[in-house]
Amino acid sequence: MSPEKIYILAIESSCDDTAAAVLENDSVLSNVVATQKIHEEYGGVVPELASRAHQQNIVPVVDTALKQAKITKEQLNAVAFTKGPGLMGSLLVGVSFAKSLSLGLGIPLIDVNHMQGHLLAHFIKNDQEKELEFPFLGVTISGGHTQIVKVTDHFEMEIIGETIDDAIGEAFDKSAKTIGLPYPGGPLIDKYAKLGNPKAFPFSKPNVKGLNFSFSGFKTAVLYFIQRETKENPNFIEENLYDICASIQYTLVNILKDKIRKAVKETGIKTIAIGGGVSANSGIREMLLDCQKRYQWNVFIPKFEYTTDNAAMIGITGYFKYLQKDFADLNVTATARTHF
Ligand code: KG4
Ligand code: ZN
């Protein structure tokens, strides 16, 4: 007898991406993301505009996800959605939609923590040779979060380090803004960094205790540096763009590397799994692969479509919760700040 097939529709709307996915057990049948372009004009996410865009996008995105998966609503076993953390107005669109669908179809509702989703994305069925095993250190790096998490089981997660101010993605994006690059500047810094000298302009690293991070001082250091240099030479940025980007990236990669090494030393865990939009950064990927060789780490880097915000990661987390019959009731609400 073939094992039971569970179909889960997952919805993610925590920030500025409206996403829906359909999973058959741990396999992704469709993974649709509508990225909201409107925020580019403002140099950052405008919460009010984000929730309005989610409202417009959610029906077509879910529709497309079901069509691409060749699944009808009636075949679904459950609806999973992101409960938080995220922007309240954005989350509410996903929560309300998921509740209505679950009520209308008479199927269970599953609330998912977005951060757990980033980490459990590694368990989506894939063609990689090696499989992620517990325990591991999950490193979530994005525009909204920077955390090191000790993961001992699917839902046994302990945050052992996190940022006390800005997220690493903000450090990329705000430095990029300082040098006149459009939002989100992280991918552009990455692109230009490849052409520059990482040691051209040394920036000091913050001195934060333990496994926590701080990026606000770095952001200010870049701002003062650029103000000083452009006062002397108005063409400083144009003439040194690649070196500036390489130096910014080099510093941020090293801040991350130092803390991961410290976490490995303190926990004795050498398996590292990264997640979040910033894990697309080539400097971070190279650093991790280098540490894998140098210190015998076992590094897991997700496929690109599962690094940035997506609903497949919400679906896989929903699947594990489904197996445990861990369902939400219709009184469930979104929470902007959600802990594990
Ligand atoms: O996970 P994500 O899509 O959304 C949040 O939850 O924030 O991450 C978006 C962040 C942005 O800050 C963006 O600049 C950054 O990820 N990012 C990168 C790269 N690709 C995306 N940062 C550095 N290098 C990249 N290649
Ligand atoms: Zn995220």
Side-chain angles (χ1 to χ4, degrees):
M1 202 177 81
S2 65
E4 194 188 357
K5 284 181 181 169
I6 306 298
Y7 294 104
I8 294 184
L9 170 73
I11 293 162
E12 152 64 35
S13 71
S14 64
C15 191
D16 59 340
D17 295 305
T18 317
V22 177
L23 271 76
E24 179 188 294
N25 299 348
D26 59 351
S27 299
V28 175
L29 298 183
S30 65
N31 185 31
V32 180
V33 183
T35 301
Q36 304 173 1
K37 292 276 171 213
I38 181 109
H39 307 288
E40 282 172 15
E41 291 170 35
Y42 298 89
V45 177
V46 184
E48 182 63 27
L49 296 178
S51 55
R52 263 190 245 177
H54 282 305
Q55 197 71 257
Q56 288 167 342
N57 292 344
I58 193 137
V59 172
V61 164
V62 168
D63 228 27
T64 308
L66 286 167
K67 278 199 187 107
Q68 282 184 7
K70 298 190 175 62
I71 291 292
T72 63
K73 292 194 293 293
E74 291 69 29
Q75 284 175 277
L76 294 173
N77 296 87
V79 185
F81 69 94
T82 305
K83 174 181 163 68
L87 301 170
M88 189 43 106
S90 291
L91 291 164
L92 283 174
V93 177
V95 178
S96 313
F97 189 89
K99 275 189 192 181
S100 321
L101 201 60
S102 131
L103 189 64
L105 296 171
I107 54 174
L109 182 65
I110 303 172
D111 59 318
V112 171
N113 178 303
H114 178 90
M115 303 308 299
Q116 287 187 334
H118 271 304
L119 295 176
L120 297 181
H122 288 276
F123 294 100
I124 291 172
K125 195 169 185 173
N126 60 54
D127 44 20
Q128 283 189 8
E129 281 163 23
K130 57 180 189 178
E131 267 183 35
L132 180 58
E133 285 174 9
F134 302 111
F136 66 87
L137 293 177
V139 180
T140 44
I141 42 178
S142 78
H145 11 262
T146 308
Q147 292 182 331
I148 303 181
V149 185
K150 187 173 152 186
V151 187
T152 42
D153 205 346
H154 289 110
F155 295 104
E156 274 172 39
M157 302 190 180
E158 182 196 351
I159 299 168
I160 56 173
E162 63 186 330
T163 181
I164 56 170
D165 41 55
D166 293 346
I168 188 167
E170 278 179 276
F172 270 104
D173 295 341
K174 287 181 182 163
S175 314
K177 198 173 175 185
T178 301
I179 56 173
L181 300 177
Y183 175 84
L188 286 172
I189 294 210
D190 190 3
K191 183 172 162 194
Y192 299 144
K194 291 191 181 108
L195 307 166
N197 171 10
K199 295 191 178 156
F201 305 111
F203 294 108
S204 57
K205 287 188 281 182
N207 190 7
V208 192
K209 283 211 181 85
L211 298 172
N212 284 341
F213 298 88
S214 167
F215 293 102
S216 70
F218 172 79
K219 177 183 76 187
T220 318
V222 172
L223 178 68
Y224 288 166
F225 167 75
I226 295 295
Q227 281 176 345
R228 208 171 49 234
E229 295 294 335
T230 48
K231 216 179 203 177
E232 278 180 26
N233 171 12
N235 297 325
F236 177 76
I237 297 177
E238 283 161 47
E239 288 169 12
N240 297 282
L241 183 63
Y242 299 157
D243 284 350
I244 299 170
C245 289
S247 302
I248 289 172
Q249 181 161 307
Y250 180 74
T251 311
L252 292 173
V253 170
N254 275 308
I255 294 173
L256 192 65
K257 177 179 165 180
D258 288 353
K259 293 292 178 173
I260 301 176
R261 285 193 66 190
K262 199 171 161 67
V264 168
K265 225 176 246 171
E266 284 183 13
T267 60
I269 299 171
K270 285 183 161 189
T271 303
I272 316 289
I274 59 167
V278 181
S279 53
N281 184 269
S282 55
I284 292 174
R285 289 177 174 229
E286 270 166 34
M287 175 273 286
L288 288 169
L289 295 175
D290 179 58
C291 287
Q292 175 161 267
K293 256 199 224 147
R294 212 182 276 255
Y295 311 120
Q296 293 79 50
W297 292 1
N298 192 7
V299 171
F300 288 80
I301 300 175
K303 269 173 118 177
F304 182 75
E305 60 260 45
Y306 305 140
T307 57
T308 50
D309 287 350
N310 65 86
M313 69 185 198
I314 304 304
I316 189 77
T317 311
Y319 173 63
F320 291 127
K321 282 190 136 188
Y322 184 95
L323 294 179
Q324 299 183 359
K325 302 215 175 337
D326 184 357
F327 303 135
D329 64 36
L330 284 173
N331 297 324
V332 66
T333 56
T335 39
R337 293 175 176 275
T338 310
H339 287 282
F340 295 155

